[in-house]
Amino acid sequence: MMRRNFLRLVPVALLFCGAAALAAEKAAPLPEPQPLRPGAKVVTLWPEGSPMLKALEGSDKPEELRMSKGPDARVQSVVNVHNPSIEVHLAPADKANGMAVVIAPGGGNTQLVVGTEGTEIADWLNGLGVHAFIERYRLRPYGSDTDALEDTKRSMRMVRAHAKEWGIDPNRVGIMGFSAGGEQVAWLALKYDAGNSGASDPIDRQSCRPDFAVLVYPGWRRMDLSSVPKDAPPAFLTTAGIDDASHARQTVDFYNAWFNAKVPVELHIYGHGGHGNGIKPRNGIPFGTWPMRFVEWATDLGMMKPKVEPQASAGAAH
């Protein structure tokens, strides 16, 4: 009898041990993301134990930082993102104008091109007096319109929650995405919210609505653009044309959706230029000038303070 009862208890004990082991596995802290640039401040988006974080195969492994080639090697891409984050790149104090941009790099949702579409963009924005935050959102097998989108929403909330600390005007916080990062911008521009005023987490109380949205050669698998919110953010769109046809078509689709909803939107499609390469000058072709068009647009929108030219003295000759 005792042996029979013992045998009955064994499966229960094994089940309990298995459940305990699974709980311990889920509770294991995720590896901390390393800075893309030595000394940069990296802020993880979700607190340890958050239900937003998932224990998937390989989530206990650190991110893999892949370097570019050549004498000026730098981190060019990242894979294995399970603990999403933003990296803080503040503009110099003598240039900072209070404007901030979350940068969403591309990479086909399988990697993040954090060099060409991350640190290079942050340096350019910092030179304009704009604070920049490079987002590392989760990649496949996570969903781009679920898990990664929650990361992007949280990035916006995080920046606003630290507005005073980082010298940011919370009403001049936008997002700029490249390729698959442009998909993140599009989802956010459609599915933002005002935050939860009753949340215990002060970050969750912040709005994730971007004050402006910038989509650079964006692309997505599927997206319903038929219901644009009435207060959707103004958008700036740019891409090459025939030699990046699929992204050009989706850029036009987004433009038409915003235009038909009477939301301010500006579109620049260039004759050629291919896909990728961020703000590269592209050997002087017109597509290489889109960053100047962005500055003009952002200034016209009131997000970027115009440069004040020095006044001539009263006695100066004309």
Side-chain angles (χ1 to χ4, degrees), residues 118-295:
T119 51
E120 274 191 21
I121 308 304
D123 289 344
W124 164 58
L125 290 171
N126 286 173
L128 297 170
V130 179
H131 300 308
F133 303 86
I134 304 170
E135 180 191 6
R136 284 182 246 179
Y137 54 88
R138 285 171 286 183
L139 305 166
R140 293 177 193 156
Y142 297 100
S144 63
D145 59 344
T146 52
D147 306 297
L149 175 57
E150 289 302 322
D151 298 339
T152 300
K153 288 181 177 180
R154 182 79 172 182
S155 296
M156 296 296 298
R157 300 191 213 279
M158 185 73 72
V159 170
R160 284 204 172 98
H162 289 85
K164 185 174 181 181
E165 175 188 349
W166 291 335
I168 293 167
D169 179 347
N171 297 311
R172 289 194 289 143
V173 180
I175 184 166
M176 177 181 292
F178 300 79
S179 195
E183 177 187 9
Q184 285 302 300
V185 176
W187 282 124
L188 181 66
L190 289 166
K191 296 181 176 292
Y192 57 85
D193 61 70
N196 180 1
S197 60
S200 58
D201 183 348
I203 296 170
D204 284 338
R205 298 174 202 158
Q206 300 292 328
S207 168
C208 66
R209 177 190 179 276
D211 293 305
F212 57 92
V214 181
L215 292 78
V216 185
Y217 43 81
W220 41 80
R221 284 183 169 182
R222 65 195 182 281
M223 186 172 296
D224 181 4
L225 293 166
S226 62
S227 299
V228 177
K230 291 181 179 179
D231 63 340
F236 176 93
L237 315 169
T238 188
T239 185
I242 297 299
D243 56 356
D244 195 14
S246 63
H247 296 91
R249 288 191 190 98
Q250 291 180 325
T251 302
V252 171
D253 289 344
F254 191 95
Y255 172 84
N256 286 335
W258 251 238
F259 184 83
N260 292 336
K262 297 181 173 57
V263 177
V265 60
E266 184 163 308
L267 171 66
H268 296 272
I269 293 187
Y270 294 88
H272 67 104
H275 188 72
N277 283 319
I279 56 170
K280 299 289 187 188
R282 304 168 193 271
N283 297 318
I285 64 172
F287 190 23
T289 67
W290 78 257
M292 290 186 278
R293 306 290 80 78
F294 163 74
V295 171

Side-chain angles (χ1 to χ4, degrees), residues 39-122:
K41 180 181 180 65
V42 180
V43 180
T44 52
L45 295 176
W46 304 104
E48 186 177 324
S50 169
M52 285 293 180
L53 297 173
K54 299 176 180 178
L56 299 185
E57 182 179 355
S59 61
D60 58 332
K61 297 178 181 178
E63 293 177 356
E64 180 184 342
L65 306 182
R66 296 175 175 175
M67 306 299 291
S68 62
K69 297 178 181 179
D72 298 323
R74 61 164 185 206
V75 178
Q76 173 63 5
S77 63
V78 178
V79 296
N80 201 43
V81 177
H82 296 279
N83 193 6
S85 64
I86 54 172
E87 183 166 300
V88 181
H89 291 259
L90 299 181
D94 61 337
K95 286 188 176 182
N97 59 30
M99 179 178 166
V101 173
V102 171
I103 303 166
N109 289 308
T110 60
Q111 64 174 332
L112 295 174
V113 185
V114 293
T116 306
E117 298 171 353
T119 51
E120 274 191 21
I121 308 304

